[in-house]
Structures are given as structure tokens and as C-alpha cells.
Amino acid sequence: MELNISILRQIEREHGGAFYLLDTEQFSCNFRELLSAFRSYYPQTYIAYSYKTNYIPRLCKLVDELGGYAEIVSDMEYEITKRLGIATSKIHFNGPYKKPETIREIILGGGTVNLDDYAEVADIKALANAYPEKTINIGLRCNFTINDGVISRFGFDVTKPAFEQLIKELLSKQNIHISGIQCHFATRAIETWKPRAEGISHLADKLHNQTIDHIDLGGGLFGKMKEELKAQFDTKIPSYEEYAAVAAGYIATHFEGAEYRPKLFIEPGSALVGDVMKFVTSVISIKDIRGKAFATLLGSIYNINPTLNKKNPPIRVYSDQPERQTNAYNLDFGGYTCIENDYLYRDYNGPLAVGDLVVFDNVGSYSVVLKPPFILPNFPVIELNANRQFIVKRKETFDDLFHTYEFKF
């Protein structure tokens, strides 16, 4: 995505002083590169894109066109797949809360439902009883240690006797088939990916006589980012190839010569979408308060970093008014909200003027989906490729936020 002040001003005139830019060509490149890295070690690898990370329909449809699967965690995300015409067989349904009717639809449609808790077992048994002529294929989300110092709350504790009993209970129904096992861990450190692969492979061996169709290592991969952002992490930022060598490399070795080789799924979100969106916002004001410089932007920390971490994203200031710019020193970019700690960037040094446009990079992960309806409606998303523009999300309006409220009492 090549930007200049002329392109940005033209978009500003049409859509206002704050907007997201979406680079679908970069997204496609990331998808193909990540898949290729894993398949170079284990050819039976597939990607199920994490909708919750960024469920812009344009991206979800693109995943389908690229041959990917949909990893969803809610009825809302399931509705996205239906409206996009995505085959149910390409859906992986995870998460701690699932409606029984959605479980039924997805399983009967040939999709994958990974059970997360014993409470869901009753729904599966009821489904098997209601459709004795159908094979009820299910997956199990499995919880085991990967030495990351965290006890995850997701999935079944595979170290307990209750897990063995669960397997027996499920398989006591002749039409229930455990077709896959999955794990989910939030940490992205590469050191945890071999323990994931080890744990899921050993479980697959235990269930081998049940003809496991696939194993799933979940998400939790770092994506591409500029060096100034990488430097703010206290852990190494691995490449796609490095993740693949550790995880897919282990899987390939483990199943080498085996009588069966299950499909391998990964569920990336940030790794695919982190660097494919930018946020552009205009400078509203610049002030000095007791020797400290501040600029207010038509944007908020919630637009670019709703998890509120303390990292400065990569930025670039675009201007067509150099005669008005002054050299800022240790200036903090504040947002439009009335929250004291609403800062998009700390300690900026460089030229700046009211009306300039500040472009924030690496904002594709969770920014759109976690932005709260706070103070202002959200801004539009414009796809920009080869200087062509498409609106993939219009700017929100008052009615978008308040149509569920009552105003007459």
C-alpha cells in the first residue's frame, strides 16, 4: 500500500478526518506465505482464520476464496459465514459458549464443533439420539501444560481420569465419532509451540483407533511488524518459517512412517491481519501545558489498541503545509475521548501542524472488533489497493448505535 498526502486528502474529503485503510493484497500474501511455510514441513496443513480477531466480511470471504476455513466462536460469527455463503463443512466452532441449535446446524452440515466443557456433552448425546442414522463428528478442545506459566481456562484437562471417562462415554454411542482434537493457548512465544505439538500429537496417538481426522494447534502467532514495534516486546518475534519449523516440523517427524497422517490445522488471527490495516487521523489541536507538549487527534486509543497495552505503534505524519509545521519534542498524541489515559502514541519527536494526518500502522488485530461505542461512532474502513478504493465498512451513525434504545417514555 503506497500512500502519499494527495491520496490521503482525497479520502479525507470523501470520508472525514479519520478512517481505516485495508490492504487485502497484503492479507492474501500473508495467508499464502504462512500456509506455504507450514506445508513445506507438513503438506496436510490448513488454515482456519480466527474471525474474532477481525471479522470484516471482506477478509472472511477472502479467506474462503484462498481455500481457508472459518474459525468462529459465536452465533454472530456463524451468521457471517452464512451471509457470505461459506460452506458449513469449512467451519470450526470453538469457544466456551455455544447454543445447542447452532451445534446441531454445524455438525449436521458437516462442520467441526470442538467441545470445550462437560456441559456440552449432553447436547451431543441428545443430537446423537435424535439422528441415529447420522454420524456425529465432534472435536475436543484439550487442555495440557505448555510451560508458559499460565493455567488456561479453555478445554478439558487431559490429565484427569474424567477425561478418559469422557472418551468412553462419547464412544459408547455408536454414531458419535471423535474426528479431531484441538488446543488453544494465548501465548505467542515460539518456545510454547513445540509443547503444543507434542501434547496434541501424543493425544492423537491415544485416540488413533478412533481414526482422528485432524489435529489443531490453535492460534497465538505473532504477525509481521516493523522493527520499532518489535523492539518493544520482551520476547523474540518469530517469522512464519520459524513457527513452522518448530511446530509443523515436529508433527512431520512424529507421524513419519505412521499408518495415518492427520490433517494439521492452525487458527491464526493477528499473524494474518495485524499488518494489513492502518488508521489515519487528523491533528485537531496542539498545545503546551506546563512544559509538556500534547496533540489531540480525531481518533482514540480504542481505535488502534483496545487492549490498552503500552506499546507505541509505528507512525508516519503526512503534511501538505510544511510552512505551518513546528518541531515537536516528546509530544504525546491524545485521543478525542474524555479519558485521561487516552493516548495513541507517547513521546513523538518531529514536524507537526494542526490539520496534518497521522497514519498508525499494524492496527489490524482486534481494533475494529473491540472498539467500544464510546463518545463517537466508529470510522469507515476503506480498501486501498493499487490506488483503487472500496468501502468495506461505512462510517457508523447515531442510529447505528442507538436504534435499540427507547427515546419515548
Side-chain angles (χ1 to χ4, degrees), residues 121-132:
V121 175
D123 296 327
I124 295 302
K125 292 170 69 175
L127 188 61
N129 289 333
Y131 296 89

Side-chain angles (χ1 to χ4, degrees), residues 168-389:
K168 293 178 182 178
E169 182 180 354
L170 289 171
L171 297 179
S172 67
K173 305 290 293 184
Q174 289 192 350
N175 62 330
I176 292 181
H177 174 221
I178 301 174
S179 60
I181 49 177
Q182 187 257 13
C183 62
H184 172 77
F185 300 100
T187 178
R188 299 176 185 175
I190 194 169
E191 295 79 10
T192 66
W193 274 77
K194 185 178 179 181
R196 289 190 198 200
E198 291 175 336
I200 213 75
S201 297
H202 293 153
L203 283 170
D205 290 342
K206 287 184 179 181
L207 294 170
H208 168 45
N209 61 339
Q210 305 308 324
T211 59
I212 292 293
D213 172 71
H214 66 271
I215 56 178
D216 190 332
L217 298 180
L221 303 90
F222 283 109
K224 299 174 183 176
M225 59 185 77
K226 294 181 177 178
E227 291 301 322
E228 61 261 42
L229 184 55
K230 287 183 180 180
Q232 298 174 62
F233 287 84
D234 57 5
T235 187
K236 173 178 167 35
I237 307 301
S239 66
Y240 293 165
E241 166 63 26
E242 288 170 314
Y243 279 120
V246 170
Y250 177 89
I251 298 293
T253 301
H254 183 87
F255 290 102
E256 185 176 8
E259 56 185 282
Y260 84 112
R261 288 170 65 87
K263 295 176 183 176
L264 170 63
F265 279 88
I266 54 174
E267 300 171 351
S270 298
L272 294 180
V273 80
D275 69 331
V276 307
M277 286 186 70
K278 303 178 188 293
F279 181 64
V280 184
T281 177
S282 55
V283 179
I284 303 302
S285 67
I286 302 173
K287 65 175 76 172
D288 181 285
I289 299 179
R290 297 194 298 276
K292 175 63 179 175
F294 299 91
T296 298
L297 304 180
L298 183 58
S300 165
I301 184 64
Y302 300 106
N303 289 115
I304 64 169
N305 181 14
T307 59
L308 306 182
N309 65 55
K310 303 297 183 182
K311 296 177 176 62
N312 275 340
I315 64 169
R316 181 175 174 182
V317 176
Y318 289 80
S319 181
D320 49 9
Q321 47 184 1
E323 72 284 352
R324 295 182 56 199
Q325 289 186 315
T326 59
N327 285 318
Y329 177 72
N330 284 355
L331 177 143
D332 292 347
F333 286 112
Y336 63 77
T337 75
C338 300
I339 301 298
E340 184 63 63
N341 64 354
D342 182 7
Y343 289 100
L344 295 82
Y345 192 96
R346 298 275 193 172
D347 298 325
Y348 168 77
N349 298 298
L352 191 70
V354 172
D356 285 353
L357 296 173
V358 185
V359 178
F360 293 83
D361 213 336
N362 278 96
V363 303
S365 179
Y366 292 102
S367 56
V368 174
V369 298
L370 276 182
K371 195 274 180 186
F374 183 60
I375 306 291
L376 287 178
N378 209 357
F379 303 110
V381 180
I382 312 299
E383 180 179 344
L384 184 61
N385 288 317
N387 295 327
R388 294 181 301 159
Q389 299 174 28

